[in-house]
Amino acid sequence: MSDTDGRKTLGLGGSRPSNVKQSFSHGRTKNVVVETKRKRVMVPKPGGHKPTGPGAGPVGDPSKRPAGISDAEMERRLKAVQAAKAREAEEAAARLAEEKARAEERERRRAEIDAKEKADREREESLKAKAEEEARAKRDAEAAAQAAAAAPAAPAAARPTPNKAAPGPAVRKTERDREETNKKNRADDNRRSGKLTVNQALTGGEGGRQRSMAAMKRKQERQRQKAMGGNVEREKIIRNVNLPPAIVVSELAARMAEKTGAVVKALMQNGMMVTQNETIDADTAELIIEEFGHKVVRVSDADVEDVIKEIVDDPKDLMGRPPVITIMGHVDHGKTSLLDAIRNAKVVAGEAGGITQHIGAYQVTTDGGQVLSFLDTPGHAAFTSMRSRGAQVTDIVVLVVAADDAVMPQTIEAIAHAKAAKVPMIVAINKIDRPAADPDKVRTDLLQHEVIVEKMSGEVQDVEVSAITGQGLDELLDAIALQAEILELKANPNRAAVGAVIEAQLDVGRGPVATVLVQNGTLRQGDIFVVGEQYGKVRALIDDQGNRVKEAGPSVPVEVLGLNGTPEAGDVLNVTETEAQAREIADYRANAAKDKRAAAGAATTLEQLMANAKANEDVSELPILLKADVQGSAEAIVQAMEKIGNDEVRVRVLHSGVGAITETDVGLAEASGAPIMGFNVRANASARNTANQKGVEIRYYSVIYDLVDDVKAAASGLLSNEIKENFIGYANIKEVFKVTGVGKVAGCLVTEGVARRSAGVRLLRDNVVIHEGTLKTLKRFKDEVPEVQSGQECGMAFENYDDIRPNDVIEIFTREEVERTLK
């Protein structure tokens, strides 16, 4: 058997070869041989088709059937092919009918449009012919009148005939055919106007910019919609455009869903030459929005805080809450010891130097079962802002005054804070167990500050207590409970929490931690909140005993973990619904605070800038870096640093923060030549090594007194020494001599004190200073001497000065430098 087995080889049989010449750039060409295969027409053989019906016998010739195919399978296949062909025929007939109907509809619409245009054209032509007829009749009448005037003998019956007959129907039909031909040609030209031909490329025809493919597609789409009777113009959508105080042009166009170029064009038509990246004010943007037909909705950046607006609680939802009591008073008057006696704890032992340097928040349950929330504020002068915050979030102020020390400066300040916050006050006269205790003197001193206690016929309760012996503690708690009953303190625990940050710090293991006093609502674990410029999600709540709790109700102080940064003490905590809202509010507040700081630090005019530079030209600055353990302590130390200095020297805090001293702090200190002050914090290992290498001084403090004193001493070292003059003698000039090589020499008599060669001298004439300088020579007889005592004669010569006369007085003095200190 051969390989071909009687079959023909595969090839392009019956093809017709032809040559095609291809042209390329730079004059290159190439001849390609192309073979075109003719279509093969299949003609059925006579007698080859056999019926395939049910009774048609065997289907097909078994010898030409594929192997393994039965008669039933072959019959099924043929039926499927026939059904497919019938379906295709039906679909083709449906398509043809649909196309025919669509074509008839198009023809009908086109005929209507043509008929309408034809009617309009005929009406215009008739009007035009009528106008021409009237004009021609008018001209003929005028010509007849002129002819009648020129030839009066002409017969009156002669009537002027028109020179030209009106165009008949044949003429109008010819013009109409010509216009239709021109219109068709113009349509054909428009249809091919977007395609570049060889003649246009060679001759430069339509040498302008060609229309893009997208423009051609849009034009074809409009023509298709017009032919189908669709609406070409889209309906204008009126939008509500949110308009902030300032907006970028491109953003304005996006909010209106308009083209940026159209907005820029509208602005230029209004006299504003701006680009799409420039910012315009709200008034100009409002004009543009109204010009485009949209509605303006004025908004502000501060609108992001609308989600945390104050909610007025229904009186039915209010429930009783524990009172918040703030312990205030002078330093070392026993505030913390008194609170220890109430709590049965030892808090003082944990404070450096025995003085409170943080706000402590505690909760105490009395023997009667009443819950009290206490805030312990520092009494040192540097913690004024802390005491102010304690008075603002409290319900009752307990003013602690030592019976042996009476009223002191911070006691007066605490009274002022309590009055400013309009909270009731209870006076606790402490240290009553001491021999020098005089409670009546305390009551008398309080009268000077308009604090009248009950024993002085006033309304302010006073209790004599002793933190050491526990005397009077029960009476103090009873007084607090009575005052709380009078106030009728209530809050709604079933709402989003609102609280105040009492203290904030950066803990090494836990991150930013804030001590929050919940004022209303209930703070729960998992709540999303915003506090000042920071936000977060409550990761854990820790009470004053160090225990983890799931929630904190009104008047409960807790430590909150989960912040993204350390907030400022005194910031308000608000719970929000989503983290996006909290982040947006925090970002807005941070940007507003940044702008406020930039505006406060910058001079508004060039004159102010020059005046500030000139004023600070002679001022020496002591730069320092401050790191503290909590935010309140850092704020208090910064305020104390601002008070140190005078017109010549001042302390400048380059950076203050919360947490350990890091390498970044060391780098900043090295660049500015400043020491680092650490208050209850330490530097980590890498920061210590970097500081040793770069020679940066790090000082650690645990008591604020020591830090303030050291900074004050360092600032005093920047003061220039004071020059003090001491007068040591006077001499009268008796005679003036001229000595060769020396000049004028004054013969003097020392009348008082002593004359020294190294001292400074002034020449007085009629008690007026004529000259101040030094001596060139001091001689007694012919010998140079270091000094001359009173009552002796000597010769003196001034350095670079010769205008000396008899009876002048020489004043001899010395100068010494005296170190100055800051008070």
Side-chain angles (χ1 to χ4, degrees), residues 738-771:
K738 288 186 178 181
V739 178
T740 304
V742 178
K744 290 185 177 182
V745 177
C748 306
L749 174 64
V750 179
T751 58
E752 187 179 338
V754 62
R756 286 189 186 146
R757 170 75 175 77
S758 59
V761 291
R762 291 192 185 94
L763 182 64
L764 307 181
R765 187 173 296 161
D766 297 330
N767 290 327
V768 177
V769 178
I770 302 299
H771 173 69

PDB file of all heavy atoms in Angstrom, residues 738-771:
ATOM      1  N   LYS A 738      56.654 120.828  81.881  1.00  0.00           N
ATOM      2  CA  LYS A 738      56.931 120.184  80.598  1.00  0.00           C
ATOM      3  C   LYS A 738      58.265 119.453  80.704  1.00  0.00           C
ATOM      4  O   LYS A 738      59.285 120.080  80.989  1.00  0.00           O
ATOM      5  CB  LYS A 738      56.996 121.214  79.474  1.00  0.00           C
ATOM      6  CG  LYS A 738      55.640 121.778  79.104  1.00  0.00           C
ATOM      7  CD  LYS A 738      55.740 122.701  77.885  1.00  0.00           C
ATOM      8  CE  LYS A 738      54.364 123.241  77.486  1.00  0.00           C
ATOM      9  NZ  LYS A 738      54.448 124.116  76.284  1.00  0.00           N
ATOM     10  N   VAL A 739      58.226 118.160  80.455  1.00  0.00           N
ATOM     11  CA  VAL A 739      59.420 117.321  80.548  1.00  0.00           C
ATOM     12  C   VAL A 739      59.693 116.754  79.172  1.00  0.00           C
ATOM     13  O   VAL A 739      58.774 116.220  78.515  1.00  0.00           O
ATOM     14  CB  VAL A 739      59.211 116.177  81.567  1.00  0.00           C
ATOM     15  CG1 VAL A 739      60.447 115.289  81.624  1.00  0.00           C
ATOM     16  CG2 VAL A 739      58.885 116.736  82.937  1.00  0.00           C
ATOM     17  N   THR A 740      60.920 116.875  78.723  1.00  0.00           N
ATOM     18  CA  THR A 740      61.296 116.386  77.395  1.00  0.00           C
ATOM     19  C   THR A 740      61.171 114.872  77.350  1.00  0.00           C
ATOM     20  O   THR A 740      61.646 114.169  78.235  1.00  0.00           O
ATOM     21  CB  THR A 740      62.732 116.797  77.071  1.00  0.00           C
ATOM     22  OG1 THR A 740      62.850 118.210  77.184  1.00  0.00           O
ATOM     23  CG2 THR A 740      63.124 116.363  75.668  1.00  0.00           C
ATOM     24  N   GLY A 741      60.505 114.390  76.296  1.00  0.00           N
ATOM     25  CA  GLY A 741      60.328 112.954  76.113  1.00  0.00           C
ATOM     26  C   GLY A 741      59.134 112.390  76.854  1.00  0.00           C
ATOM     27  O   GLY A 741      58.734 111.256  76.605  1.00  0.00           O
ATOM     28  N   VAL A 742      58.554 113.160  77.775  1.00  0.00           N
ATOM     29  CA  VAL A 742      57.400 112.683  78.522  1.00  0.00           C
ATOM     30  C   VAL A 742      56.178 113.511  78.205  1.00  0.00           C
ATOM     31  O   VAL A 742      55.075 112.997  78.046  1.00  0.00           O
ATOM     32  CB  VAL A 742      57.688 112.703  80.044  1.00  0.00           C
ATOM     33  CG1 VAL A 742      56.465 112.241  80.817  1.00  0.00           C
ATOM     34  CG2 VAL A 742      58.880 111.824  80.364  1.00  0.00           C
ATOM     35  N   GLY A 743      56.315 114.799  78.062  1.00  0.00           N
ATOM     36  CA  GLY A 743      55.202 115.683  77.833  1.00  0.00           C
ATOM     37  C   GLY A 743      54.898 116.462  79.101  1.00  0.00           C
ATOM     38  O   GLY A 743      55.794 116.761  79.905  1.00  0.00           O
ATOM     39  N   LYS A 744      53.624 116.805  79.267  1.00  0.00           N
ATOM     40  CA  LYS A 744      53.228 117.565  80.452  1.00  0.00           C
ATOM     41  C   LYS A 744      53.085 116.618  81.639  1.00  0.00           C
ATOM     42  O   LYS A 744      52.457 115.577  81.552  1.00  0.00           O
ATOM     43  CB  LYS A 744      51.901 118.276  80.208  1.00  0.00           C
ATOM     44  CG  LYS A 744      52.006 119.426  79.214  1.00  0.00           C
ATOM     45  CD  LYS A 744      50.673 120.160  79.114  1.00  0.00           C
ATOM     46  CE  LYS A 744      50.808 121.359  78.160  1.00  0.00           C
ATOM     47  NZ  LYS A 744      49.546 122.116  78.071  1.00  0.00           N
ATOM     48  N   VAL A 745      53.658 117.051  82.754  1.00  0.00           N
ATOM     49  CA  VAL A 745      53.604 116.307  84.006  1.00  0.00           C
ATOM     50  C   VAL A 745      52.970 117.203  85.052  1.00  0.00           C
ATOM     51  O   VAL A 745      53.351 118.382  85.191  1.00  0.00           O
ATOM     52  CB  VAL A 745      54.992 115.824  84.471  1.00  0.00           C
ATOM     53  CG1 VAL A 745      54.899 115.112  85.821  1.00  0.00           C
ATOM     54  CG2 VAL A 745      55.616 114.917  83.415  1.00  0.00           C
ATOM     55  N   ALA A 746      52.001 116.640  85.777  1.00  0.00           N
ATOM     56  CA  ALA A 746      51.287 117.410  86.790  1.00  0.00           C
ATOM     57  C   ALA A 746      51.929 117.167  88.144  1.00  0.00           C
ATOM     58  O   ALA A 746      52.089 116.013  88.571  1.00  0.00           O
ATOM     59  CB  ALA A 746      49.817 116.995  86.818  1.00  0.00           C
ATOM     60  N   GLY A 747      52.281 118.267  88.785  1.00  0.00           N
ATOM     61  CA  GLY A 747      52.756 118.170  90.160  1.00  0.00           C
ATOM     62  C   GLY A 747      51.552 118.189  91.086  1.00  0.00           C
ATOM     63  O   GLY A 747      50.817 119.181  91.146  1.00  0.00           O
ATOM     64  N   CYS A 748      51.323 117.075  91.784  1.00  0.00           N
ATOM     65  CA  CYS A 748      50.077 116.893  92.522  1.00  0.00           C
ATOM     66  C   CYS A 748      50.340 116.693  94.019  1.00  0.00           C
ATOM     67  O   CYS A 748      51.436 116.278  94.437  1.00  0.00           O
ATOM     68  CB  CYS A 748      49.323 115.678  92.001  1.00  0.00           C
ATOM     69  SG  CYS A 748      49.018 115.692  90.227  1.00  0.00           S
ATOM     70  N   LEU A 749      49.276 116.977  94.772  1.00  0.00           N
ATOM     71  CA  LEU A 749      49.266 116.676  96.203  1.00  0.00           C
ATOM     72  C   LEU A 749      48.082 115.746  96.445  1.00  0.00           C
ATOM     73  O   LEU A 749      46.940 116.079  96.140  1.00  0.00           O
ATOM     74  CB  LEU A 749      49.083 117.962  97.027  1.00  0.00           C
ATOM     75  CG  LEU A 749      48.920 117.754  98.533  1.00  0.00           C
ATOM     76  CD1 LEU A 749      50.184 117.138  99.153  1.00  0.00           C
ATOM     77  CD2 LEU A 749      48.568 119.068  99.221  1.00  0.00           C
ATOM     78  N   VAL A 750      48.394 114.536  96.971  1.00  0.00           N
ATOM     79  CA  VAL A 750      47.344 113.559  97.258  1.00  0.00           C
ATOM     80  C   VAL A 750      46.598 114.035  98.488  1.00  0.00           C
ATOM     81  O   VAL A 750      47.170 114.100  99.593  1.00  0.00           O
ATOM     82  CB  VAL A 750      47.930 112.155  97.470  1.00  0.00           C
ATOM     83  CG1 VAL A 750      46.824 111.161  97.782  1.00  0.00           C
ATOM     84  CG2 VAL A 750      48.729 111.714  96.252  1.00  0.00           C
ATOM     85  N   THR A 751      45.321 114.416  98.308  1.00  0.00           N
ATOM     86  CA  THR A 751      44.550 114.995  99.414  1.00  0.00           C
ATOM     87  C   THR A 751      43.720 113.954 100.153  1.00  0.00           C
ATOM     88  O   THR A 751      43.329 114.184 101.306  1.00  0.00           O
ATOM     89  CB  THR A 751      43.596 116.072  98.871  1.00  0.00           C
ATOM     90  OG1 THR A 751      42.736 115.475  97.902  1.00  0.00           O
ATOM     91  CG2 THR A 751      44.394 117.214  98.246  1.00  0.00           C
ATOM     92  N   GLU A 752      43.467 112.817  99.497  1.00  0.00           N
ATOM     93  CA  GLU A 752      42.588 111.836 100.132  1.00  0.00           C
ATOM     94  C   GLU A 752      42.906 110.454  99.582  1.00  0.00           C
ATOM     95  O   GLU A 752      43.130 110.298  98.384  1.00  0.00           O
ATOM     96  CB  GLU A 752      41.118 112.189  99.828  1.00  0.00           C
ATOM     97  CG  GLU A 752      40.090 111.361 100.560  1.00  0.00           C
ATOM     98  CD  GLU A 752      38.660 111.788 100.236  1.00  0.00           C
ATOM     99  OE1 GLU A 752      38.464 112.946  99.806  1.00  0.00           O
ATOM    100  OE2 GLU A 752      37.741 110.959 100.379  1.00  0.00           O
ATOM    101  N   GLY A 753      42.948 109.455 100.457  1.00  0.00           N
ATOM    102  CA  GLY A 753      43.172 108.088 100.021  1.00  0.00           C
ATOM    103  C   GLY A 753      44.587 107.860  99.558  1.00  0.00           C
ATOM    104  O   GLY A 753      45.557 108.340 100.144  1.00  0.00           O
ATOM    105  N   VAL A 754      44.722 107.145  98.451  1.00  0.00           N
ATOM    106  CA  VAL A 754      46.016 106.758  97.932  1.00  0.00           C
ATOM    107  C   VAL A 754      45.970 106.811  96.405  1.00  0.00           C
ATOM    108  O   VAL A 754      44.936 106.563  95.792  1.00  0.00           O
ATOM    109  CB  VAL A 754      46.387 105.323  98.426  1.00  0.00           C
ATOM    110  CG1 VAL A 754      45.380 104.318  97.913  1.00  0.00           C
ATOM    111  CG2 VAL A 754      47.794 104.926  97.997  1.00  0.00           C
ATOM    112  N   ALA A 755      47.087 107.180  95.788  1.00  0.00           N
ATOM    113  CA  ALA A 755      47.210 107.197  94.319  1.00  0.00           C
ATOM    114  C   ALA A 755      48.034 106.007  93.890  1.00  0.00           C
ATOM    115  O   ALA A 755      49.167 105.843  94.382  1.00  0.00           O
ATOM    116  CB  ALA A 755      47.851 108.499  93.863  1.00  0.00           C
ATOM    117  N   ARG A 756      47.445 105.158  92.958  1.00  0.00           N
ATOM    118  CA  ARG A 756      48.124 103.945  92.517  1.00  0.00           C
ATOM    119  C   ARG A 756      48.413 104.034  91.024  1.00  0.00           C
ATOM    120  O   ARG A 756      47.617 104.564  90.251  1.00  0.00           O
ATOM    121  CB  ARG A 756      47.267 102.716  92.794  1.00  0.00           C
ATOM    122  CG  ARG A 756      47.219 102.340  94.266  1.00  0.00           C
ATOM    123  CD  ARG A 756      46.551 101.021  94.477  1.00  0.00           C
ATOM    124  NE  ARG A 756      46.394 100.754  95.905  1.00  0.00           N
ATOM    125  CZ  ARG A 756      45.395 100.114  96.448  1.00  0.00           C
ATOM    126  NH1 ARG A 756      44.416  99.682  95.674  1.00  0.00           N
ATOM    127  NH2 ARG A 756      45.349  99.906  97.762  1.00  0.00           N
ATOM    128  N   ARG A 757      49.518 103.449  90.647  1.00  0.00           N
ATOM    129  CA  ARG A 757      49.957 103.478  89.247  1.00  0.00           C
ATOM    130  C   ARG A 757      49.019 102.644  88.365  1.00  0.00           C
ATOM    131  O   ARG A 757      48.746 102.990  87.227  1.00  0.00           O
ATOM    132  CB  ARG A 757      51.383 102.911  89.200  1.00  0.00           C
ATOM    133  CG  ARG A 757      51.925 102.651  87.804  1.00  0.00           C
ATOM    134  CD  ARG A 757      52.311 103.954  87.119  1.00  0.00           C
ATOM    135  NE  ARG A 757      52.936 103.716  85.835  1.00  0.00           N
ATOM    136  CZ  ARG A 757      52.308 103.391  84.718  1.00  0.00           C
ATOM    137  NH1 ARG A 757      51.000 103.244  84.737  1.00  0.00           N
ATOM    138  NH2 ARG A 757      52.964 103.239  83.591  1.00  0.00           N
ATOM    139  N   SER A 758      48.504 101.532  88.903  1.00  0.00           N
ATOM    140  CA  SER A 758      47.684 100.615  88.100  1.00  0.00           C
ATOM    141  C   SER A 758      46.213 100.998  88.081  1.00  0.00           C
ATOM    142  O   SER A 758      45.435 100.341  87.396  1.00  0.00           O
ATOM    143  CB  SER A 758      47.822  99.188  88.651  1.00  0.00           C
ATOM    144  OG  SER A 758      47.407  99.149  90.014  1.00  0.00           O
ATOM    145  N   ALA A 759      45.802 102.005  88.824  1.00  0.00           N
ATOM    146  CA  ALA A 759      44.388 102.359  88.917  1.00  0.00           C
ATOM    147  C   ALA A 759      43.972 103.249  87.753  1.00  0.00           C
ATOM    148  O   ALA A 759      44.799 103.836  87.050  1.00  0.00           O
ATOM    149  CB  ALA A 759      44.120 103.064  90.242  1.00  0.00           C
ATOM    150  N   GLY A 760      42.690 103.342  87.584  1.00  0.00           N
ATOM    151  CA  GLY A 760      42.142 104.246  86.585  1.00  0.00           C
ATOM    152  C   GLY A 760      42.003 105.644  87.157  1.00  0.00           C
ATOM    153  O   GLY A 760      41.844 105.823  88.376  1.00  0.00           O
ATOM    154  N   VAL A 761      42.056 106.660  86.273  1.00  0.00           N
ATOM    155  CA  VAL A 761      41.993 108.056  86.734  1.00  0.00           C
ATOM    156  C   VAL A 761      40.998 108.825  85.879  1.00  0.00           C
ATOM    157  O   VAL A 761      40.747 108.481  84.718  1.00  0.00           O
ATOM    158  CB  VAL A 761      43.389 108.733  86.667  1.00  0.00           C
ATOM    159  CG1 VAL A 761      44.332 108.135  87.693  1.00  0.00           C
ATOM    160  CG2 VAL A 761      43.967 108.623  85.248  1.00  0.00           C
ATOM    161  N   ARG A 762      40.416 109.859  86.498  1.00  0.00           N
ATOM    162  CA  ARG A 762      39.566 110.806  85.792  1.00  0.00           C
ATOM    163  C   ARG A 762      40.070 112.209  86.107  1.00  0.00           C
ATOM    164  O   ARG A 762      40.441 112.518  87.248  1.00  0.00           O
ATOM    165  CB  ARG A 762      38.111 110.678  86.221  1.00  0.00           C
ATOM    166  CG  ARG A 762      37.441 109.397  85.784  1.00  0.00           C
ATOM    167  CD  ARG A 762      35.940 109.481  86.002  1.00  0.00           C
ATOM    168  NE  ARG A 762      35.252 108.216  85.712  1.00  0.00           N
ATOM    169  CZ  ARG A 762      34.972 107.303  86.622  1.00  0.00           C
ATOM    170  NH1 ARG A 762      35.313 107.531  87.891  1.00  0.00           N
ATOM    171  NH2 ARG A 762      34.379 106.182  86.292  1.00  0.00           N
ATOM    172  N   LEU A 763      40.035 113.069  85.091  1.00  0.00           N
ATOM    173  CA  LEU A 763      40.438 114.461  85.272  1.00  0.00           C
ATOM    174  C   LEU A 763      39.181 115.311  85.395  1.00  0.00           C
ATOM    175  O   LEU A 763      38.338 115.315  84.481  1.00  0.00           O
ATOM    176  CB  LEU A 763      41.282 114.924  84.078  1.00  0.00           C
ATOM    177  CG  LEU A 763      41.819 116.356  84.143  1.00  0.00           C
ATOM    178  CD1 LEU A 763      42.796 116.520  85.319  1.00  0.00           C
ATOM    179  CD2 LEU A 763      42.513 116.726  82.840  1.00  0.00           C
ATOM    180  N   LEU A 764      39.012 115.982  86.547  1.00  0.00           N
ATOM    181  CA  LEU A 764      37.838 116.807  86.809  1.00  0.00           C
ATOM    182  C   LEU A 764      38.236 118.269  86.743  1.00  0.00           C
ATOM    183  O   LEU A 764      39.254 118.688  87.329  1.00  0.00           O
ATOM    184  CB  LEU A 764      37.249 116.496  88.193  1.00  0.00           C
ATOM    185  CG  LEU A 764      36.926 115.018  88.492  1.00  0.00           C
ATOM    186  CD1 LEU A 764      36.337 114.882  89.891  1.00  0.00           C
ATOM    187  CD2 LEU A 764      35.952 114.473  87.469  1.00  0.00           C
ATOM    188  N   ARG A 765      37.419 119.036  86.057  1.00  0.00           N
ATOM    189  CA  ARG A 765      37.623 120.489  85.987  1.00  0.00           C
ATOM    190  C   ARG A 765      36.280 121.149  86.299  1.00  0.00           C
ATOM    191  O   ARG A 765      35.325 120.974  85.557  1.00  0.00           O
ATOM    192  CB  ARG A 765      38.130 120.897  84.610  1.00  0.00           C
ATOM    193  CG  ARG A 765      38.533 122.351  84.492  1.00  0.00           C
ATOM    194  CD  ARG A 765      39.174 122.606  83.145  1.00  0.00           C
ATOM    195  NE  ARG A 765      40.421 121.847  83.005  1.00  0.00           N
ATOM    196  CZ  ARG A 765      40.992 121.577  81.836  1.00  0.00           C
ATOM    197  NH1 ARG A 765      40.417 121.975  80.722  1.00  0.00           N
ATOM    198  NH2 ARG A 765      42.130 120.878  81.793  1.00  0.00           N
ATOM    199  N   ASP A 766      36.262 121.870  87.413  1.00  0.00           N
ATOM    200  CA  ASP A 766      35.016 122.468  87.918  1.00  0.00           C
ATOM    201  C   ASP A 766      33.954 121.388  88.123  1.00  0.00           C
ATOM    202  O   ASP A 766      32.778 121.535  87.744  1.00  0.00           O
ATOM    203  CB  ASP A 766      34.488 123.553  86.968  1.00  0.00           C
ATOM    204  CG  ASP A 766      35.476 124.714  86.846  1.00  0.00           C
ATOM    205  OD1 ASP A 766      36.203 124.967  87.824  1.00  0.00           O
ATOM    206  OD2 ASP A 766      35.522 125.332  85.759  1.00  0.00           O
ATOM    207  N   ASN A 767      34.394 120.243  88.664  1.00  0.00           N
ATOM    208  CA  ASN A 767      33.522 119.096  88.965  1.00  0.00           C
ATOM    209  C   ASN A 767      32.871 118.485  87.710  1.00  0.00           C
ATOM    210  O   ASN A 767      31.827 117.852  87.796  1.00  0.00           O
ATOM    211  CB  ASN A 767      32.429 119.489  89.964  1.00  0.00           C
ATOM    212  CG  ASN A 767      32.976 119.741  91.349  1.00  0.00           C
ATOM    213  OD1 ASN A 767      33.947 119.091  91.759  1.00  0.00           O
ATOM    214  ND2 ASN A 767      32.407 120.707  92.053  1.00  0.00           N
ATOM    215  N   VAL A 768      33.507 118.675  86.583  1.00  0.00           N
ATOM    216  CA  VAL A 768      33.052 118.083  85.324  1.00  0.00           C
ATOM    217  C   VAL A 768      34.164 117.175  84.817  1.00  0.00           C
ATOM    218  O   VAL A 768      35.337 117.580  84.779  1.00  0.00           O
ATOM    219  CB  VAL A 768      32.698 119.155  84.281  1.00  0.00           C
ATOM    220  CG1 VAL A 768      32.288 118.503  82.955  1.00  0.00           C
ATOM    221  CG2 VAL A 768      31.598 120.049  84.790  1.00  0.00           C
ATOM    222  N   VAL A 769      33.787 115.948  84.428  1.00  0.00           N
ATOM    223  CA  VAL A 769      34.772 114.988  83.941  1.00  0.00           C
ATOM    224  C   VAL A 769      35.256 115.430  82.565  1.00  0.00           C
ATOM    225  O   VAL A 769      34.466 115.528  81.614  1.00  0.00           O
ATOM    226  CB  VAL A 769      34.170 113.573  83.884  1.00  0.00           C
ATOM    227  CG1 VAL A 769      35.197 112.589  83.331  1.00  0.00           C
ATOM    228  CG2 VAL A 769      33.712 113.128  85.263  1.00  0.00           C
ATOM    229  N   ILE A 770      36.569 115.681  82.483  1.00  0.00           N
ATOM    230  CA  ILE A 770      37.157 116.106  81.209  1.00  0.00           C
ATOM    231  C   ILE A 770      37.776 114.927  80.474  1.00  0.00           C
ATOM    232  O   ILE A 770      37.700 114.821  79.267  1.00  0.00           O
ATOM    233  CB  ILE A 770      38.217 117.209  81.444  1.00  0.00           C
ATOM    234  CG1 ILE A 770      37.590 118.407  82.161  1.00  0.00           C
ATOM    235  CG2 ILE A 770      38.851 117.645  80.132  1.00  0.00           C
ATOM    236  CD1 ILE A 770      36.479 119.070  81.379  1.00  0.00           C
ATOM    237  N   HIS A 771      38.365 114.006  81.238  1.00  0.00           N
ATOM    238  CA  HIS A 771      39.068 112.886  80.620  1.00  0.00           C
ATOM    239  C   HIS A 771      39.052 111.705  81.568  1.00  0.00           C
ATOM    240  O   HIS A 771      39.093 111.866  82.797  1.00  0.00           O
ATOM    241  CB  HIS A 771      40.526 113.290  80.307  1.00  0.00           C
ATOM    242  CG  HIS A 771      41.371 112.145  79.833  1.00  0.00           C
ATOM    243  ND1 HIS A 771      41.196 111.538  78.631  1.00  0.00           N
ATOM    244  CD2 HIS A 771      42.400 111.489  80.448  1.00  0.00           C
ATOM    245  CE1 HIS A 771      42.075 110.554  78.489  1.00  0.00           C
ATOM    246  NE2 HIS A 771      42.824 110.508  79.591  1.00  0.00           N
TER     247      HIS A 771
END
